[in-house]
Amino acid sequence: MNDLQGETMNQFTKYNFYNAPEASIAKLEAAQSSFGKLPNLLGYMAAAPALLNSYVYMSEQVSHTELSPTERQVVMMTVNRFHECRYCMAGHSQYAQSNGIDMGIIHAIRDDTPLDNHKLATLRSFTLNMVKQRGVVSRTLVDAFFKAGYSQQNALEIIAMIAFKVMSNYTNHLVGTELDGISMSMRWTPANQR
């Protein structure tokens, strides 16, 4: 099931490297080479080279934060869950599983249940409040974030990850991106729609 359940998907073109705007072709070819298949999200983003190129650049940047791979997934999946992005939640869940990230953590985020790890729970709370409150968070929340062992750099890195997820989550909602085959086993439905 797509975010828009097919209502507007036909209004948007999913490109590949044979028919995409010229400024998108190199990124699509690189994605095909890297993944073995062109992700549907990138095919839709290709209609706007500025979006596709920004998204690919941000993907590279957020993979080099000071946060661990597990912490990065906690941040990004928390944003996916808040935005109710089915495509990204499935994709990140599949990525986490294939990269040995504790699936108990992933399922806690998917199902909005408590995290046993205090530091990760603090990270999730900080991220969620940053998104909900558009960056206007309390001093108490910031102090708790630092007390849990996170740094100023980490707080600012979360802003980059939120921006990265906004690009994909909003695109998926707008165009109704179909799940890629590899992530079908990790499909997800928001709790309020179950």
Side-chain angles (χ1 to χ4, degrees), residues 61-76 119-120 123 126-127 145 149-162:
Q61 294 304 304
V62 301
S63 69
H64 297 297
T65 66
E66 196 178 75
L67 295 169
S68 72
T70 296
E71 290 169 328
R72 288 194 292 266
Q73 289 306 311
V74 167
V75 170
M76 291 187 282
K119 188 173 183 184
L120 293 180
L123 177 63
F126 182 81
T127 301
F145 182 74
Y150 292 106
S151 67
Q152 293 179 30
Q153 179 178 334
N154 298 149
L156 297 171
E157 288 171 340
I158 289 169
I159 295 172
M161 286 186 268
I162 291 169

mmCIF file of all heavy atoms in Angstrom, residues 61-76 119-120 123 126-127 145 149-162:
data_model
loop_
_atom_site.group_PDB
_atom_site.id
_atom_site.type_symbol
_atom_site.label_atom_id
_atom_site.label_comp_id
_atom_site.label_asym_id
_atom_site.label_seq_id
_atom_site.Cartn_x
_atom_site.Cartn_y
_atom_site.Cartn_z
ATOM 1 N N GLN A 61 26.528 12.484 3.460
ATOM 2 C CA GLN A 61 26.924 13.269 4.636
ATOM 3 C C GLN A 61 26.449 12.639 5.942
ATOM 4 O O GLN A 61 27.209 12.546 6.904
ATOM 5 C CB GLN A 61 26.400 14.706 4.521
ATOM 6 C CG GLN A 61 27.009 15.495 3.389
ATOM 7 C CD GLN A 61 28.522 15.548 3.471
ATOM 8 O OE1 GLN A 61 29.083 15.966 4.473
ATOM 9 N NE2 GLN A 61 29.182 15.093 2.419
ATOM 10 N N VAL A 62 25.193 12.207 5.993
ATOM 11 C CA VAL A 62 24.675 11.668 7.257
ATOM 12 C C VAL A 62 25.285 10.310 7.601
ATOM 13 O O VAL A 62 25.231 9.885 8.753
ATOM 14 C CB VAL A 62 23.127 11.610 7.300
ATOM 15 C CG1 VAL A 62 22.537 13.002 7.116
ATOM 16 C CG2 VAL A 62 22.560 10.627 6.303
ATOM 17 N N SER A 63 25.891 9.657 6.623
ATOM 18 C CA SER A 63 26.557 8.378 6.923
ATOM 19 C C SER A 63 27.916 8.587 7.581
ATOM 20 O O SER A 63 28.549 7.629 8.005
ATOM 21 C CB SER A 63 26.698 7.538 5.654
ATOM 22 O OG SER A 63 27.638 8.123 4.774
ATOM 23 N N HIS A 64 28.355 9.839 7.680
ATOM 24 C CA HIS A 64 29.659 10.140 8.279
ATOM 25 C C HIS A 64 29.533 10.973 9.551
ATOM 26 O O HIS A 64 30.460 11.691 9.907
ATOM 27 C CB HIS A 64 30.545 10.871 7.261
ATOM 28 C CG HIS A 64 30.863 10.056 6.059
ATOM 29 N ND1 HIS A 64 31.590 8.890 6.114
ATOM 30 C CD2 HIS A 64 30.520 10.220 4.764
ATOM 31 C CE1 HIS A 64 31.692 8.382 4.906
ATOM 32 N NE2 HIS A 64 31.046 9.158 4.069
ATOM 33 N N THR A 65 28.411 10.867 10.234
ATOM 34 C CA THR A 65 28.272 11.606 11.489
ATOM 35 C C THR A 65 29.043 10.891 12.591
ATOM 36 O O THR A 65 29.481 9.746 12.429
ATOM 37 C CB THR A 65 26.792 11.706 11.912
ATOM 38 O OG1 THR A 65 26.307 10.404 12.216
ATOM 39 C CG2 THR A 65 25.944 12.350 10.824
ATOM 40 N N GLU A 66 29.145 11.551 13.714
ATOM 41 C CA GLU A 66 29.799 10.973 14.882
ATOM 42 C C GLU A 66 28.923 9.895 15.528
ATOM 43 O O GLU A 66 29.400 9.075 16.298
ATOM 44 C CB GLU A 66 30.089 12.098 15.885
ATOM 45 C CG GLU A 66 31.085 11.755 16.960
ATOM 46 C CD GLU A 66 31.340 12.945 17.864
ATOM 47 O OE1 GLU A 66 30.470 13.270 18.699
ATOM 48 O OE2 GLU A 66 32.415 13.558 17.724
ATOM 49 N N LEU A 67 27.638 9.915 15.237
ATOM 50 C CA LEU A 67 26.720 8.921 15.785
ATOM 51 C C LEU A 67 27.005 7.549 15.181
ATOM 52 O O LEU A 67 27.402 7.440 14.023
ATOM 53 C CB LEU A 67 25.273 9.327 15.502
ATOM 54 C CG LEU A 67 24.793 10.614 16.180
ATOM 55 C CD1 LEU A 67 23.459 11.046 15.608
ATOM 56 C CD2 LEU A 67 24.705 10.432 17.688
ATOM 57 N N SER A 68 26.759 6.507 15.957
ATOM 58 C CA SER A 68 26.985 5.137 15.484
ATOM 59 C C SER A 68 25.923 4.759 14.453
ATOM 60 O O SER A 68 24.869 5.415 14.358
ATOM 61 C CB SER A 68 26.912 4.162 16.660
ATOM 62 O OG SER A 68 25.560 4.024 17.102
ATOM 63 N N PRO A 69 26.150 3.680 13.681
ATOM 64 C CA PRO A 69 25.121 3.240 12.731
ATOM 65 C C PRO A 69 23.773 2.978 13.404
ATOM 66 O O PRO A 69 22.726 3.343 12.857
ATOM 67 C CB PRO A 69 25.713 1.956 12.149
ATOM 68 C CG PRO A 69 27.196 2.181 12.218
ATOM 69 C CD PRO A 69 27.402 2.921 13.520
ATOM 70 N N THR A 70 23.782 2.380 14.583
ATOM 71 C CA THR A 70 22.519 2.146 15.296
ATOM 72 C C THR A 70 21.868 3.461 15.679
ATOM 73 O O THR A 70 20.654 3.648 15.491
ATOM 74 C CB THR A 70 22.751 1.281 16.550
ATOM 75 O OG1 THR A 70 23.211 -0.013 16.145
ATOM 76 C CG2 THR A 70 21.474 1.127 17.369
ATOM 77 N N GLU A 71 22.648 4.396 16.200
ATOM 78 C CA GLU A 71 22.096 5.697 16.580
ATOM 79 C C GLU A 71 21.535 6.442 15.373
ATOM 80 O O GLU A 71 20.480 7.075 15.464
ATOM 81 C CB GLU A 71 23.171 6.538 17.287
ATOM 82 C CG GLU A 71 23.516 6.014 18.669
ATOM 83 C CD GLU A 71 24.748 6.657 19.262
ATOM 84 O OE1 GLU A 71 25.674 7.032 18.498
ATOM 85 O OE2 GLU A 71 24.799 6.784 20.508
ATOM 86 N N ARG A 72 22.203 6.343 14.235
ATOM 87 C CA ARG A 72 21.685 7.001 13.026
ATOM 88 C C ARG A 72 20.336 6.414 12.632
ATOM 89 O O ARG A 72 19.418 7.143 12.244
ATOM 90 C CB ARG A 72 22.687 6.870 11.872
ATOM 91 C CG ARG A 72 23.921 7.735 12.059
ATOM 92 C CD ARG A 72 24.734 7.875 10.797
ATOM 93 N NE ARG A 72 25.379 6.657 10.349
ATOM 94 C CZ ARG A 72 26.627 6.307 10.658
ATOM 95 N NH1 ARG A 72 27.369 7.081 11.447
ATOM 96 N NH2 ARG A 72 27.147 5.198 10.182
ATOM 97 N N GLN A 73 20.200 5.088 12.751
ATOM 98 C CA GLN A 73 18.916 4.472 12.416
ATOM 99 C C GLN A 73 17.837 4.877 13.413
ATOM 100 O O GLN A 73 16.681 5.093 13.037
ATOM 101 C CB GLN A 73 19.051 2.946 12.349
ATOM 102 C CG GLN A 73 19.845 2.452 11.148
ATOM 103 C CD GLN A 73 19.306 2.979 9.831
ATOM 104 O OE1 GLN A 73 18.111 2.908 9.551
ATOM 105 N NE2 GLN A 73 20.190 3.528 9.006
ATOM 106 N N VAL A 74 18.191 5.007 14.678
ATOM 107 C CA VAL A 74 17.211 5.468 15.672
ATOM 108 C C VAL A 74 16.694 6.843 15.287
ATOM 109 O O VAL A 74 15.482 7.093 15.292
ATOM 110 C CB VAL A 74 17.825 5.479 17.095
ATOM 111 C CG1 VAL A 74 16.927 6.243 18.075
ATOM 112 C CG2 VAL A 74 18.058 4.051 17.585
ATOM 113 N N VAL A 75 17.593 7.741 14.922
ATOM 114 C CA VAL A 75 17.185 9.094 14.530
ATOM 115 C C VAL A 75 16.304 9.040 13.285
ATOM 116 O O VAL A 75 15.190 9.583 13.267
ATOM 117 C CB VAL A 75 18.410 10.002 14.286
ATOM 118 C CG1 VAL A 75 17.992 11.327 13.647
ATOM 119 C CG2 VAL A 75 19.168 10.243 15.583
ATOM 120 N N MET A 76 16.784 8.394 12.238
ATOM 121 C CA MET A 76 16.055 8.434 10.966
ATOM 122 C C MET A 76 14.733 7.686 11.036
ATOM 123 O O MET A 76 13.723 8.147 10.487
ATOM 124 C CB MET A 76 16.957 7.931 9.836
ATOM 125 C CG MET A 76 18.091 8.914 9.567
ATOM 126 S SD MET A 76 19.097 8.539 8.120
ATOM 127 C CE MET A 76 20.134 7.236 8.780
ATOM 128 N N LYS A 119 20.308 5.515 26.809
ATOM 129 C CA LYS A 119 20.933 6.485 25.910
ATOM 130 C C LYS A 119 20.169 6.574 24.590
ATOM 131 O O LYS A 119 19.906 7.665 24.082
ATOM 132 C CB LYS A 119 22.399 6.118 25.663
ATOM 133 C CG LYS A 119 23.148 7.183 24.892
ATOM 134 C CD LYS A 119 24.641 6.888 24.793
ATOM 135 C CE LYS A 119 25.344 8.033 24.063
ATOM 136 N NZ LYS A 119 26.774 7.768 23.859
ATOM 137 N N LEU A 120 19.780 5.421 24.041
ATOM 138 C CA LEU A 120 19.022 5.431 22.788
ATOM 139 C C LEU A 120 17.620 6.000 22.995
ATOM 140 O O LEU A 120 17.083 6.680 22.112
ATOM 141 C CB LEU A 120 18.943 4.023 22.198
ATOM 142 C CG LEU A 120 20.266 3.427 21.712
ATOM 143 C CD1 LEU A 120 20.036 2.021 21.161
ATOM 144 C CD2 LEU A 120 20.939 4.311 20.671
ATOM 145 N N LEU A 123 17.998 9.649 22.912
ATOM 146 C CA LEU A 123 18.206 10.073 21.525
ATOM 147 C C LEU A 123 16.883 10.119 20.777
ATOM 148 O O LEU A 123 16.596 11.078 20.054
ATOM 149 C CB LEU A 123 19.170 9.101 20.831
ATOM 150 C CG LEU A 123 19.459 9.347 19.356
ATOM 151 C CD1 LEU A 123 20.155 10.686 19.148
ATOM 152 C CD2 LEU A 123 20.315 8.210 18.801
ATOM 153 N N PHE A 126 14.802 13.118 22.086
ATOM 154 C CA PHE A 126 15.328 14.388 21.593
ATOM 155 C C PHE A 126 14.946 14.583 20.125
ATOM 156 O O PHE A 126 14.463 15.654 19.730
ATOM 157 C CB PHE A 126 16.855 14.424 21.761
ATOM 158 C CG PHE A 126 17.479 15.712 21.324
ATOM 159 C CD1 PHE A 126 17.470 16.827 22.156
ATOM 160 C CD2 PHE A 126 18.076 15.830 20.072
ATOM 161 C CE1 PHE A 126 18.047 18.031 21.749
ATOM 162 C CE2 PHE A 126 18.649 17.023 19.664
ATOM 163 C CZ PHE A 126 18.629 18.123 20.507
ATOM 164 N N THR A 127 15.145 13.553 19.312
ATOM 165 C CA THR A 127 14.818 13.630 17.885
ATOM 166 C C THR A 127 13.337 13.905 17.674
ATOM 167 O O THR A 127 12.949 14.790 16.889
ATOM 168 C CB THR A 127 15.212 12.332 17.169
ATOM 169 O OG1 THR A 127 16.614 12.108 17.338
ATOM 170 C CG2 THR A 127 14.873 12.374 15.692
ATOM 171 N N PHE A 145 19.808 15.392 26.982
ATOM 172 C CA PHE A 145 20.526 14.871 25.819
ATOM 173 C C PHE A 145 22.032 14.868 26.085
ATOM 174 O O PHE A 145 22.718 13.869 25.866
ATOM 175 C CB PHE A 145 20.180 15.734 24.598
ATOM 176 C CG PHE A 145 20.798 15.304 23.308
ATOM 177 C CD1 PHE A 145 20.340 14.189 22.634
ATOM 178 C CD2 PHE A 145 21.828 16.049 22.737
ATOM 179 C CE1 PHE A 145 20.898 13.807 21.422
ATOM 180 C CE2 PHE A 145 22.388 15.679 21.530
ATOM 181 C CZ PHE A 145 21.921 14.546 20.871
ATOM 182 N N GLY A 149 25.229 11.633 27.306
ATOM 183 C CA GLY A 149 26.519 11.381 26.665
ATOM 184 C C GLY A 149 26.630 11.888 25.243
ATOM 185 O O GLY A 149 27.621 11.616 24.556
ATOM 186 N N TYR A 150 25.635 12.629 24.787
ATOM 187 C CA TYR A 150 25.688 13.188 23.441
ATOM 188 C C TYR A 150 26.306 14.582 23.467
ATOM 189 O O TYR A 150 26.341 15.243 24.499
ATOM 190 C CB TYR A 150 24.290 13.210 22.812
ATOM 191 C CG TYR A 150 23.768 11.824 22.539
ATOM 192 C CD1 TYR A 150 22.767 11.263 23.327
ATOM 193 C CD2 TYR A 150 24.312 11.055 21.516
ATOM 194 C CE1 TYR A 150 22.304 9.975 23.092
ATOM 195 C CE2 TYR A 150 23.861 9.764 21.267
ATOM 196 C CZ TYR A 150 22.858 9.229 22.057
ATOM 197 O OH TYR A 150 22.418 7.955 21.827
ATOM 198 N N SER A 151 26.786 15.020 22.314
ATOM 199 C CA SER A 151 27.523 16.280 22.219
ATOM 200 C C SER A 151 26.745 17.324 21.421
ATOM 201 O O SER A 151 25.717 17.031 20.803
ATOM 202 C CB SER A 151 28.858 16.020 21.503
ATOM 203 O OG SER A 151 28.622 15.662 20.141
ATOM 204 N N GLN A 152 27.308 18.542 21.419
ATOM 205 C CA GLN A 152 26.744 19.599 20.578
ATOM 206 C C GLN A 152 26.760 19.166 19.114
ATOM 207 O O GLN A 152 25.803 19.408 18.372
ATOM 208 C CB GLN A 152 27.547 20.884 20.746
ATOM 209 C CG GLN A 152 27.430 21.514 22.111
ATOM 210 C CD GLN A 152 28.265 22.779 22.233
ATOM 211 O OE1 GLN A 152 28.488 23.483 21.251
ATOM 212 N NE2 GLN A 152 28.728 23.068 23.434
ATOM 213 N N GLN A 153 27.852 18.542 18.707
ATOM 214 C CA GLN A 153 27.938 18.061 17.325
ATOM 215 C C GLN A 153 26.804 17.095 17.023
ATOM 216 O O GLN A 153 26.167 17.187 15.969
ATOM 217 C CB GLN A 153 29.284 17.384 17.073
ATOM 218 C CG GLN A 153 29.417 16.839 15.652
ATOM 219 C CD GLN A 153 30.769 16.212 15.377
ATOM 220 O OE1 GLN A 153 31.767 16.559 16.018
ATOM 221 N NE2 GLN A 153 30.808 15.295 14.436
ATOM 222 N N ASN A 154 26.528 16.170 17.941
ATOM 223 C CA ASN A 154 25.452 15.207 17.726
ATOM 224 C C ASN A 154 24.108 15.907 17.566
ATOM 225 O O ASN A 154 23.297 15.532 16.704
ATOM 226 C CB ASN A 154 25.358 14.217 18.889
ATOM 227 C CG ASN A 154 26.587 13.375 19.085
ATOM 228 O OD1 ASN A 154 26.899 13.000 20.210
ATOM 229 N ND2 ASN A 154 27.312 13.058 18.019
ATOM 230 N N ALA A 155 23.853 16.920 18.384
ATOM 231 C CA ALA A 155 22.581 17.649 18.303
ATOM 232 C C ALA A 155 22.415 18.284 16.928
ATOM 233 O O ALA A 155 21.334 18.227 16.325
ATOM 234 C CB ALA A 155 22.513 18.715 19.399
ATOM 235 N N LEU A 156 23.496 18.853 16.414
ATOM 236 C CA LEU A 156 23.437 19.492 15.102
ATOM 237 C C LEU A 156 23.386 18.465 13.974
ATOM 238 O O LEU A 156 22.748 18.700 12.932
ATOM 239 C CB LEU A 156 24.616 20.446 14.943
ATOM 240 C CG LEU A 156 24.615 21.608 15.959
ATOM 241 C CD1 LEU A 156 25.916 22.390 15.881
ATOM 242 C CD2 LEU A 156 23.414 22.519 15.752
ATOM 243 N N GLU A 157 24.022 17.306 14.182
ATOM 244 C CA GLU A 157 23.940 16.236 13.181
ATOM 245 C C GLU A 157 22.503 15.746 13.036
ATOM 246 O O GLU A 157 22.066 15.387 11.932
ATOM 247 C CB GLU A 157 24.846 15.069 13.585
ATOM 248 C CG GLU A 157 26.322 15.358 13.430
ATOM 249 C CD GLU A 157 27.219 14.297 14.035
ATOM 250 O OE1 GLU A 157 26.758 13.519 14.908
ATOM 251 O OE2 GLU A 157 28.400 14.243 13.638
ATOM 252 N N ILE A 158 21.773 15.747 14.124
ATOM 253 C CA ILE A 158 20.371 15.319 14.068
ATOM 254 C C ILE A 158 19.571 16.250 13.154
ATOM 255 O O ILE A 158 18.694 15.788 12.408
ATOM 256 C CB ILE A 158 19.775 15.241 15.490
ATOM 257 C CG1 ILE A 158 20.392 14.037 16.224
ATOM 258 C CG2 ILE A 158 18.250 15.142 15.460
ATOM 259 C CD1 ILE A 158 20.098 13.986 17.703
ATOM 260 N N ILE A 159 19.885 17.524 13.156
ATOM 261 C CA ILE A 159 19.212 18.455 12.245
ATOM 262 C C ILE A 159 19.468 18.049 10.795
ATOM 263 O O ILE A 159 18.549 18.053 9.966
ATOM 264 C CB ILE A 159 19.658 19.902 12.504
ATOM 265 C CG1 ILE A 159 19.202 20.347 13.895
ATOM 266 C CG2 ILE A 159 19.113 20.846 11.424
ATOM 267 C CD1 ILE A 159 19.758 21.682 14.333
ATOM 268 N N ALA A 160 20.709 17.669 10.480
ATOM 269 C CA ALA A 160 21.017 17.220 9.112
ATOM 270 C C ALA A 160 20.219 15.976 8.759
ATOM 271 O O ALA A 160 19.687 15.852 7.650
ATOM 272 C CB ALA A 160 22.519 16.952 8.981
ATOM 273 N N MET A 161 20.094 15.041 9.708
ATOM 274 C CA MET A 161 19.349 13.811 9.436
ATOM 275 C C MET A 161 17.858 14.076 9.281
ATOM 276 O O MET A 161 17.190 13.446 8.462
ATOM 277 C CB MET A 161 19.633 12.771 10.518
ATOM 278 C CG MET A 161 21.012 12.163 10.359
ATOM 279 S SD MET A 161 21.322 10.806 11.502
ATOM 280 C CE MET A 161 22.049 11.723 12.826
ATOM 281 N N ILE A 162 17.341 15.019 10.061
ATOM 282 C CA ILE A 162 15.929 15.379 9.906
ATOM 283 C C ILE A 162 15.695 15.976 8.515
ATOM 284 O O ILE A 162 14.735 15.608 7.824
ATOM 285 C CB ILE A 162 15.488 16.363 11.012
ATOM 286 C CG1 ILE A 162 15.456 15.652 12.375
ATOM 287 C CG2 ILE A 162 14.119 16.974 10.695
ATOM 288 C CD1 ILE A 162 15.302 16.581 13.570
#
